[in-house]
């Protein structure tokens, strides 16, 4: 379990805007509830060019 119960990506703003009833139940302990959550992350990365940066 994480040491710091924080929301560095602002999921609380999204939850409050789009899932308010669920957010309302967890609002008082949002950091703790978020630390218990599991996330699936999918990355789509495209490298446009390589070489030295001036």
């Amino acid at each position: 379990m994480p040491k710091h119960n924080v929301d560095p990506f602002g999921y609380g703003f999204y939850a409050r805007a789009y899932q308010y009833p669920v957010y309302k139940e967890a609002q008082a302990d949002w950091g703790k509830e978020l630390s218990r959550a599991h996330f699936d992350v999918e990355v789509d990365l495209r490298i446009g060019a390589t070489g030295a940066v001036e």
Side-chain angles (χ1 to χ4, degrees):
M1 190 152 237
K3 189 187 293 187
H4 305 287
N5 296 326
V6 296
D7 182 3
F9 300 108
Y11 292 121
F13 293 122
Y14 181 88
R16 187 174 54 207
Y18 297 102
Q19 299 292 327
Y20 187 73
V22 176
Y23 173 78
K24 184 71 173 161
E25 291 179 22
Q27 181 178 357
D29 292 318
W30 180 251
K32 182 179 177 183
E33 294 296 327
L34 187 64
S35 73
R36 294 177 35 205
H38 296 277
F39 296 93
D40 292 323
V41 178
E42 186 174 317
V43 177
D44 182 13
L45 175 67
R46 296 188 180 123
I47 300 174
T50 61
V53 177
E54 293 181 21

